[in-house]
């Protein structure tokens, strides 16, 4: 005991000495059942949450030599557009290292976007170091089932995403090669949209740290099967036996560059003692924490739910008449094959079926990269005497002179369409983004007794399809049945999906075949009452590109949360100025959370902002490192 | 003159009646293809003709498909290539044929040649001054431009870009999953996009200067209307559908559906848009809801309401026409027996439908000339429809106009500036009813002989286009949205003889330069006229292409001349004894929509004039602009033809965009520290319909630049757009310095809703 205690003191002293030290170190004695503290870090456009639980001494089930605190890290990333994003995130990680002593019990990686994972692979990131050397020790790594290697569906999805990324990268290159033309890329909306998708895979500082090279090598050797990608897009199914990376005979394999996020996932896999792939419907007991459990809501396991806007069957679910039940998913309304259609022009059409490679079989003359017809193939003397051959050659000549006189006519360059087809590449990009967002691991953490306590909902960037997929989920815990709607109703803390974008928080559910009818039933946020909303967003960073947070959603969140909204930026737009400012912690010491409702759900909850600031020159209200909410565990 | 017997008058070409999907439906196979008779013209391979230039390059697949030669023996003997999905030469033939048919319809109804959008900005965004460089003879058509489920008209390229894509369905009953769908094989899509291009050629400001939610919707609606009513000119399709609906066109039918294959293959249901409106689950047509208009802002959806109104008017007219036939065929009961109707009856029904459809299309297209030049609303269009039709057919025996009013009213479409919806109230006010003092008016109108010259068609002499380039001093033209650095790039033509002539004329009619009086100005006008007349006798190059170029050049010369004329008149304007300056300025603004303070400021104290407060923040007083001047010839009900002169006067001023509290809005760019102030271009002006024979104004259809209400509405519109679309709206409407240039390069029109939100989240 004494040993343990001294260690604890040591820890806290260490923390106090550091610039990022904070008051309010966990004091379990203050509460009967222990404390849960949730830190929302404010690095900008990106997610990073640290949940720390401290039990009363007698309830501590951890081995004696370990600190009496339990830490869960949910995501750690920042978007490459965020100004000083890398520096800010490093400050955040330094703080995490100090608070946890480098010991993370659980790390959750919600999905493969850098604004959720970049911290793990950022230059000088402590995650790249050994625990003894200022790095981290990770006990468990939780990822969505879609990250599992060897799972047919997961592998196929990876293949599809890999192919799409490959096309996007090539399209970017193509765009950049067009710089000489009249297109001003800085102001070209489709290009900027494509770039936005591309940048989703860039770490704030874009070079690979030395010790990642090994992981890199392993990843690089993974081929991507384009045929699978096409099948998914076309039929919405994954053919038996085609999943995985084992290539089929005769199908050309493409190797694509691995993304930073794939690095991050692999790194966590290597570092963690255990990796858990979570599937919806599971209830995960948080080790040693009887008062805390995680319900896995998403991502959906049926691939058809991850795409398309047609009614899709929910796996294994039947109504009382034995009919399959259908959900209307609203995903990627025109998810389509068109992405692959750019492959020929990008010179990467190997491995694709003919109907994608060219619209007409042998008709037409190939055009080279300079925009001229390819030279006519050389023929032998015998051949060139042939009548049909002569005719063909004449046609080639006619086509060439037609091209010269019309398309390439002098002074007519302004009417050329050499890059117009590229404009539609951005739709592919948008689909890829939504698809990836939809693979978000969605966790509902519950405290107290099953079915009774408060719920903290972490949805990652789940979009509509993901939300819809959990609506009818039922969980079994301790002989009780708990359903999603119940979890939503008990939600106290909502991590707003996808930085508050318009399609990552759902309010209604439609299904023409069931009770919801044409007008739908209320769902999602509409079921929540008395919440605190946390939005990791930087309005300024995305100002010209996306509306984040989406104003109507923001206004509704303010109503639902009685203005208790925590944001990771300082610019408070969009805000309806007549309604007053958001409620957020303004002191560095713990204060009661404003709560006018009669239910008093936030009794004994407290919040504060960090003492330390991203910018030490600023006053303390300027740019705090994090907001923290403290919840007594019963 | 043996050309009479040599030149054929039409060229027959085969096309798909609607789209290729019908050719694999047993029910519709018979009617899946048809033959179009196109006005004969000399064609080069492509086809490349007077109006169109089809170039089949496919950059996304890196191919060029050989251009079709419609003059080849086999082509002439077989009426072109056989309809086929896999033959790109047929694709070229089909886009050509359908686009030409659409152009012919417009020319027939409007009584003049169609010109495409002039090119006034070059690649670098510089302003083009040379007339010859501005003329765009042909619309370009790229049948396989993009690999995407879309097709669009690109104003920046004056081109139609058609896409092709893999069907996005996994239900083989709809389309072959993953199979190729070509938008250039859909009759509707071709007609729709061509209409966009034609309308843009008539008035490019409808796209360039969008100031209310109706404008883009109107563009879409008219394009749909033309596409749908062209269905009625395909006889066997019409007969077949009459047969299948047993003469009841209110039943869901192919005639009212737009782009069926496209819709099915993109998971959008059985038709992209249906002119009959919505159907309930039992297949009954739903009654229109007048409140829907207020809720609908997306251009295609909003346009669909206007289309439904027009189609509804058509149904009413058709029903009216066939009521007697029905009674005859049913011994007076009007209730047809079960089973197929008699083929003779089908034919008679079809005949009536063709008549009604032709008349409706005629009304809809004719109304374009009766629209105000800018800020148009659906209500304006209704007034234009009524006016256009009653001018041509004063005697509305079949109650067509009543049908229109009724159908529009049912959808909540009506103008807000009339007291009631009677035909008389909707009719635009005739100019002679405006109580203008003829003395004052005559000061503005050019002499009758000059108007007559303008209305006629004269061949331009070689130097004419250069003359046009010099006629107006640069400082008195509307300033294009070009930044100062761009302005230096604008090319200035060499000094030449034509410039000397222009300078001379300019000197003579500018009272301050030469201190000449009115007579001198008239003399100068005479001199210009003479210059024009000499052009008539010059060597006429009579190929069709040159005629359209000559029209273009002439119009530009006349435009500039009229500009000079009006400017001179305003500069020498005297105040009548009992007239106050304020009244004069407002009377002219109320009649012609323009603010003439610029021309009075040196001689009068213009601070007496009461103007909207926002104007005071602008020191510059805007010059006038003669935006267009086109003669048009119409055939009246009684067979007489009449030539009219359509003149558009406009004016514009950049005003600060204010929020609801009256503070100028700004926008933060992520990469800039300073927020950018937002402004918008406010326009006013009028469409004048002149009668050159009598030298009078028939109509002046006005949007007053000094109207406070218009400024407020426009600002509310932009604010709403910014709220919905954010930065995209600022780009689209050119609301900041940085985005003005971008606006011109953006592709405004797509066939489908871009980024349609199909789910309801927040």
């Amino acid at each position: 005991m004494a040993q343990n205690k001294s260690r604890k003191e040591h820890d806290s002293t260490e923390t106090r000495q550091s610039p990022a030290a904070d008051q309010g170190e966990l004091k379990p004695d203050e509460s009967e059942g222990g404390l849960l503290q949730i830190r929302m870090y404010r690095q900008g456009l990106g997610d990073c949450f640290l949940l720390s639980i401290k039990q009363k001494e007698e309830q501590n089930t951890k081995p004696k030599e370990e600190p009496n605190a339990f830490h869960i890290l949910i995501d750690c990333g920042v978007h490459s557009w965020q100004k000083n994003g890398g520096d800010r995130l490093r400050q955040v990680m330094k703080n995490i290292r100090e608070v946890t002593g480098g010991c993370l019990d659980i790390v959750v990686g919600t999905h493969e976007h850098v604004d959720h994972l970049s911290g793990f692979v950022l230059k000088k990131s402590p995650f790249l170091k050994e625990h003894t050397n200022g790095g981290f020790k990770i006990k468990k790594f939780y990822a969505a089932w879609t990250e599992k290697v060897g799972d047919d569906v997961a592998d196929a999805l990876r293949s599809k995403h890999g192919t799409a990324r490959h096309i996007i990268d090539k399209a970017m290159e193509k765009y950049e090669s067009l710089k000489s033309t009249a297109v001003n890329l800085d102001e070209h909306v489709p290009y900027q949209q494509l770039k936005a998708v591309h940048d989703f895979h860039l770490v704030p500082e874009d070079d690979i740290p030395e010790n990642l090279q090994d992981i890199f090598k392993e990843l690089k050797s993974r081929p991507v099967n384009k045929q699978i990608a096409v099948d998914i897009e076309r039929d919405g199914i994954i053919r038996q036996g085609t999943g995985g990376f084992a290539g089929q005979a005769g199908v050309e394999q493409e190797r694509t560059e691995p993304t930073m996020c794939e690095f991050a996932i692999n790194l966590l896999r290597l570092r963690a003692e255990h990796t858990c792939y979570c599937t919806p419907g599971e209830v995960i007991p948080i080790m040693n924490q009887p008062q805390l459990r995680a319900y896995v809501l998403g991502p959906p396991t049926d691939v058809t739910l991850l795409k398309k806007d047609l009614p899709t069957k929910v796996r294994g679910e039947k109504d009382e008449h034995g009919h399959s039940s259908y959900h209307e998913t609203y995903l990627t309304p025109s998810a389509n094959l068109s992405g692959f259609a750019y492959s020929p022009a990008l010179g990467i059409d190997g491995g694709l079926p003919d109907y994608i490679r060219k619209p007409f079989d042998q008709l037409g003359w190939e055009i080279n990269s300079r925009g001229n017809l390819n030279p006519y193939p050389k023929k032998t003397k015998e051949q060139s005497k042939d009548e049909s051959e002569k005719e063909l050659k004449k046609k080639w000549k006619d086509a060439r002179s037609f091209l010269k006189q019309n398309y390439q006519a002098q002074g007519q360059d302004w009417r050329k369409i050499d890059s117009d087809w590229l404009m539609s590449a951005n739709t592919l990009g948008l689909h890829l983004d939504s698809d990836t967002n939809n693979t978000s691991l969605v966790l509902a953490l519950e405290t107290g007794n099953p079915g009774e306590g408060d719920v903290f909902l972490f949805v990652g960037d789940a979009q509509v399809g993901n939300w819809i997929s959990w609506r009818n989920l039922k969980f079994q815990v301790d002989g009780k049945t708990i359903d999603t709607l119940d979890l939503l109703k008990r939600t106290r803390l909502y991590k707003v999906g996808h930085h508050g974008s318009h399609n990552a928080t759902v309010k209604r559910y439609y299904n023409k075949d069931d009770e919801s009818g044409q007008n739908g039933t209320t769902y999602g946020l509409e079921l929540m009452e008395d919440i605190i909303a946390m939005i990791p967003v930087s309005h300024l960073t995305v100002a010209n590109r996306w509306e984040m947070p989406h104003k109507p959603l923001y206004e509704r969140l303010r109503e639902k949360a009685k203005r208790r909204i925590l944001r990771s930026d300082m610019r408070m737009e969009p805000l309806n100025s007549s309604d007053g400012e958001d409620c957020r912690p303004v002191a560095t010491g713990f204060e009661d959370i404003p709560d006018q409702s009669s239910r008093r759900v936030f009794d004994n909850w407290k919040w504060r902002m960090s003492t330390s600031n991203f910018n030490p020159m600023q006053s303390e209200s300027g740019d705090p490192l994090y907001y923290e909410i403290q919840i007594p565990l019963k | 003159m043996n050309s009479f017997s040599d030149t054929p008058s039409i060229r027959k070409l085969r096309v798909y009646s609607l789209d290729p999907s019908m050719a694999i439906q047993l029910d519709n196979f018979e009617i899946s293809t048809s033959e179009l008779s196109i006005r004969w013209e000399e064609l080069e391979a492509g086809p490349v003709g007077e109006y169109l230039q089809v170039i089949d390059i496919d950059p996304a697949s890196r191919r060029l498909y050989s251009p079709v030669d419609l003059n080849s023996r086999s082509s002439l003997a077989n009426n072109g290539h056989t309809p086929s999905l896999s033959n790109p030469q047929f694709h070229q033939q089909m886009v050509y044929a359908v686009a030409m048919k659409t152009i012919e319809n417009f020319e027939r109804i409007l009584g003049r040649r169609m010109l495409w959008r002039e090119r006034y900005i070059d690649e670098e965004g510089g302003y083009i001054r040379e007339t010859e460089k501005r003329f765009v003879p042909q619309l370009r058509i790229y049948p396989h431009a993009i690999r995407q489920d879309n097709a669009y008209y690109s104003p920046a390229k004056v081109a139609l870009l058609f896409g092709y894509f893999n069907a996005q369905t996994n239900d083989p009953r709809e389309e072959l999953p993953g199979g190729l769908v070509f938008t250039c094989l859909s009759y509707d899509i071709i007609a729709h996009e061509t209409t966009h291009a034609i309308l843009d050629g008539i008035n490019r400001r409808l796209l360039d200067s969008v100031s209310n939610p109706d404008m883009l919707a109107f563009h879409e609606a008219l394009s749909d209307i033309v596409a749908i009513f062209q269905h009625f000119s395909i006889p066997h399709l019409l007969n077949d559908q009459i047969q299948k609906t047993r003469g009841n066109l209110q039943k869901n039918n192919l005639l009212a559906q737009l782009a069926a294959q496209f819709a099915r293959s993109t998971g959008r249901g059985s038709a992209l848009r249906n002119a009959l409106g919505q159907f309930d689950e039992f297949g009954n047509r739903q009654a229109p809801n007048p409140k829907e208009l207020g809720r609908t802002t997306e251009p295609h959806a909003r346009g669909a309401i206007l289309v439904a109104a027009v189609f509804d008017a058509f149904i009413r007219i058709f029903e009216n026409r066939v009521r007697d036939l029905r009674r005859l065929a049913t011994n007076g009961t009007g209730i047809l027996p079960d089973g197929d109707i008699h083929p003779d009856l089908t034919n008679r029904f079809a005949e009536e439908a063709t008549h009604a459809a032709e008349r409706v299309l005629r009304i809809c297209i004719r109304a374009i000339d009766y629209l105000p030049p800018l800020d148009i609303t659906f209500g304006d269009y209704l007034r234009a429809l009524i006016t256009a039709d009653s001018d041509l057919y004063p005697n509305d025996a079949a109650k067509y106009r009543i049908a229109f009013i009724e159908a529009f009213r049912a959808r909540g479409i009506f103008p807000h500036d009339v007291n009631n919806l009677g035909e008389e109230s909707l009719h635009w006010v005739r100019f002679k009813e405006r109580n203008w003092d003829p003395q004052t008016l005559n000061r503005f109108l050019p002499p009758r002989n000059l108007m007559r010259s303008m209305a006629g068609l004269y061949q331009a002499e070689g130097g004419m286009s250069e003359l046009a380039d010099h006629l107006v001093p640069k400082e008195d033209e509307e300033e294009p949205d070009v930044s100062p650095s761009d302005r230096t790039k604008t090319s200035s033509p060499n000094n030449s003889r034509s410039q000397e002539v222009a300078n001379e004329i300019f000197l003579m009619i500018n009272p301050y330069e030469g201190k000449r009086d009115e007579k001198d100005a008239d003399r100068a006008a005479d001199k210009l006229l003479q210059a024009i007349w000499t052009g008539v006798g010059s060597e006429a190059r009579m190929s069709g292409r040159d005629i359209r170029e000559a029209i273009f050049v002439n119009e530009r010369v006349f435009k500039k001349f009229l500009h000079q004329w009006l400017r001179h008149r305003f500069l020498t304007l005297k105040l009548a004894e009992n007239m106050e300056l304020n009244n004069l300025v407002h009377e002219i603004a109320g009649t012609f929509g323009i603010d003439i303070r610029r021309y009075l400021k040196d001689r009068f104290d213009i601070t007496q004039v009461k103007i909207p407060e926002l104007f005071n923040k602008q020191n510059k007083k805007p010059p006038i602009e003669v935006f267009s001047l086109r003669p048009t010839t119409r055939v009246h009900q009684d067979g007489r033809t009449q030539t009219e002169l359509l003149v558009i006067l406009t004016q514009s001023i950049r005003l600060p965009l204010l929020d609801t509290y009256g503070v100028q809005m700004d926008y933060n760019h992520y990469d800039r520290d300073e927020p950018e102030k937002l402004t918008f271009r406010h326009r006013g002006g009028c469409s004048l319909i002149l009668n050159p024979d009598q030298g009078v104004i028939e109509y002046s259809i006005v949007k007053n630049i000094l109207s406070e209400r218009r400024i407020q509405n426009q600002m509310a519109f932009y604010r709403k757009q910014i709220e919905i679309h954010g930065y995209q709206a600022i780009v689209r409407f050119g609301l900041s310095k940085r985005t003005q240039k971008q606006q011109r390069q953006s592709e405004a029109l797509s066939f489908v809703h871009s980024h349609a939100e199909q789910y309801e989240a927040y």
Side-chain angles (χ1 to χ4, degrees), chain B residues 165-186:
Chain B
F165 58 100
N166 299 96
Q168 301 150 18
T169 170
N170 33 26
D171 187 348
R173 287 168 300 182
E174 294 177 327
E175 284 295 324
L176 172 67
L180 277 180
V181 177
F182 298 93
T183 57
C184 69
L185 293 184
S186 162

Side-chain angles (χ1 to χ4, degrees), chain A residues 380-587:
Chain A
T380 61
K381 264 191 182 166
E382 297 276 299
Q383 281 173 325
S384 23
K385 276 178 193 159
D386 187 54
E387 275 307 311
S388 64
E389 174 59 34
K390 274 183 190 163
E391 206 173 302
L392 201 62
K393 183 149 190 187
K394 185 181 177 298
K395 277 195 170 167
W396 177 80
K397 278 186 176 164
D398 287 348
R400 190 180 57 174
S401 63
F402 174 79
L403 189 69
K404 278 217 171 86
Q405 283 163 21
N406 292 280
Y407 193 65
Q408 300 169 336
Q410 214 190 353
Q412 296 287 305
D413 281 357
W414 58 281
R415 305 180 83 178
K416 284 187 171 179
I417 53 164
D418 293 343
S419 63
D420 288 65
W421 59 274
L422 263 172
M423 282 204 212
S424 40
N426 62 354
T427 35
L428 178 75
L430 295 175
H431 295 158
L432 177 65
D433 261 4
S434 317
D435 284 0
T436 309
N437 283 335
N438 256 324
T439 62
S440 281
L441 173 61
V442 179
L443 295 178
L445 295 162
E446 185 188 49
T447 62
N449 293 328
E452 291 169 14
D454 295 326
V455 171
F456 315 123
L457 184 61
F458 287 86
V459 298
D461 285 350
Q463 301 201 333
V464 181
N466 195 321
W467 280 78
I468 296 295
S469 76
W470 0 295
R471 186 175 178 268
N472 291 339
L473 278 184
K474 293 195 168 42
F475 302 87
Q476 303 293 335
V477 210
D478 297 352
K480 285 187 194 169
T481 306
I482 289 153
D483 62 27
T484 303
L485 302 185
D486 176 44
L487 289 172
L488 288 173
K489 283 175 190 156
R490 283 187 287 122
T491 297
R492 289 287 88 81
L493 207 58
Y494 169 45
K495 198 296 282 187
V496 180
H498 201 217
H499 323 291
S501 82
H502 65 294
N503 59 349
T505 298
V506 170
K507 66 173 171 187
R508 295 190 87 76
Y509 166 83
Y510 298 94
N511 185 351
K512 59 174 182 249
D513 295 333
D514 71 11
E515 86 285 354
S516 66
Q518 210 167 18
N519 298 321
T521 48
T522 49
Y523 181 54
L525 178 59
E526 290 306 307
L527 296 178
M528 304 180 201
E529 294 297 337
D530 293 320
I531 56 167
I532 298 171
M534 303 186 288
I535 317 178
V537 72
S538 171
H539 181 71
L540 209 56
T541 303
V542 296
N544 290 358
R545 288 123 162 185
W546 304 313
E547 198 197 359
M548 284 175 176
H550 179 57
K551 201 171 178 188
L553 168 64
Y554 194 70
E555 277 165 6
R556 190 65 182 139
L557 279 170
R558 275 168 65 94
E559 286 166 28
K560 286 288 185 185
K562 311 278 183 321
R563 298 198 274 133
R564 290 178 293 256
I565 295 187
L566 306 183
R567 290 173 54 157
S568 53
D569 57 358
M570 271 297 153
R571 271 190 76 91
M572 283 310 179
E573 290 172 39
L575 239 186
N576 194 341
S577 47
S578 59
D579 296 353
E581 294 257 310
D582 288 342
C583 274
R584 57 180 197 276
V586 286

Side-chain angles (χ1 to χ4, degrees), chain B residues 645-704:
Chain B
L645 208 52
L646 309 173
V647 176
I648 292 180
L649 300 182
T650 61
Q651 197 171 41
S652 82
I653 183 168
R654 226 168 222 293
L655 298 177
L657 181 58
L658 307 185
D659 64 16
T660 44
Y661 301 101
V663 181
Q664 183 169 13
M665 294 174 73
D666 52 28
Y667 198 83
N668 276 299
H669 291 277
Y670 67 100
D671 53 353
R672 301 201 166 184
D673 297 332
E674 280 292 294
E676 198 173 4
K677 294 278 178 208
L678 298 189
T679 57
F680 70 101
R681 191 164 270 254
H682 169 64
R683 293 179 192 274
C686 62
S687 297
L688 294 172
I689 299 177
L690 303 178
N691 181 335
D693 286 342
Q694 295 168 16
V696 295
I697 301 178
E698 298 273 9
Y699 296 97
S700 172
I701 301 155
V702 185
K703 291 280 170 171
N704 188 345

Side-chain angles (χ1 to χ4, degrees), chain B residues 174-227:
Chain B
E174 294 177 327
E175 284 295 324
L176 172 67
L180 277 180
V181 177
F182 298 93
T183 57
C184 69
L185 293 184
S186 162
Y187 198 118
D188 295 339
I189 297 179
I190 305 169
H192 178 104
E193 299 309 334
T194 310
T195 307
H196 273 314
I198 293 172
L199 197 53
D200 192 40
I202 292 173
N203 184 350
R204 62 177 156 82
R205 291 270 166 79
L206 297 185
L207 291 181
D208 287 354
S209 185
V210 175
S211 53
N212 69 47
D214 280 355
M215 290 184 75
L216 286 177
F218 171 73
H219 234 280
E220 298 298 340
L222 195 80
S223 300
D224 279 358
I225 289 168
V226 170

Side-chain angles (χ1 to χ4, degrees), chain A residues 187 308 330 341 345 356 364-365 367 406 414-416 420 424 502-503 507 510 526 543-544 550 571, chain B residues 53 60 62 64-66 119 138 140 142 147-148 157-158 168 170 667-669 742 759-762:
Chain A
E187 295 182 349
K308 273 276 197 187
Y330 305 89
I356 286 181
W365 309 101
I367 289 172
N406 292 280
W414 58 281
R415 305 180 83 178
K416 284 187 171 179
D420 288 65
S424 40
H502 65 294
N503 59 349
K507 66 173 171 187
Y510 298 94
E526 290 306 307
N544 290 358
H550 179 57
R571 271 190 76 91
Chain B
Q53 181 185 34
R62 291 204 306 186
L64 174 82
Y65 308 112
S66 285
R119 183 174 183 242
Q138 296 138 321
R140 267 210 187 164
Y142 295 108
R147 293 188 71 160
Q148 197 192 5
K157 295 186 167 73
V158 196
Q168 301 150 18
N170 33 26
Y667 198 83
N668 276 299
H669 291 277
Q742 249 171 300
Y759 47 79
E760 192 190 352
Y762 284 92

Side-chain angles (χ1 to χ4, degrees), chain B residues 28 114 156 171 183 185 189 222 256 276 303 325 369 373 433 444 584 631 669 707:
Chain B
N28 294 327
M114 291 298 114
D171 187 348
T183 57
L185 293 184
I189 297 179
L222 195 80
L276 284 166
L325 281 173
D369 284 347
E433 290 159 17
F444 301 129
L584 178 76
H669 291 277
S707 159

Side-chain angles (χ1 to χ4, degrees), chain B residues 288-411:
Chain B
N289 180 356
K291 287 190 178 142
E292 205 184 325
L293 189 67
R295 292 195 294 257
T296 314
T297 52
E298 197 282 327
H300 296 84
R302 198 173 166 88
I305 298 173
L306 184 60
V307 176
V310 168
F311 200 77
D312 195 26
F314 161 76
I315 295 274
R316 286 165 204 255
I317 291 165
F318 172 72
E319 283 300 321
N320 216 4
R321 289 180 79 121
V322 298
R323 196 162 294 136
D324 55 343
L325 281 173
R326 258 210 195 105
R327 280 196 298 265
L328 280 171
T330 57
N331 290 326
T333 64
I335 300 162
L336 290 163
D338 287 347
D340 285 352
I341 57 175
H342 194 280
D344 285 350
L345 191 60
T346 308
N347 287 340
R348 286 289 296 112
F349 274 171
E351 205 175 299
E352 293 300 330
T354 313
H355 274 288
E358 166 65 21
R359 175 75 181 272
V360 169
L361 186 63
R362 191 174 274 271
I363 295 174
C364 289
I365 292 179
R366 281 255 302 146
I368 296 168
D369 284 347
Y370 289 78
L371 283 171
L374 45 98
D375 203 16
I376 59 169
T377 64
F378 285 179
D380 292 334
Y381 187 54
L382 177 60
R383 298 193 70 175
L385 285 168
I386 300 300
T387 313
D389 193 59
S390 67
D391 270 15
L392 221 52
Y393 301 92
N395 179 6
D396 188 20
K399 304 283 173 287
Y400 283 28
R401 295 195 280 276
I402 308 293
F404 267 96
I405 295 171
E406 207 173 22
F408 274 57
R409 196 176 52 179
R411 284 159 185 83

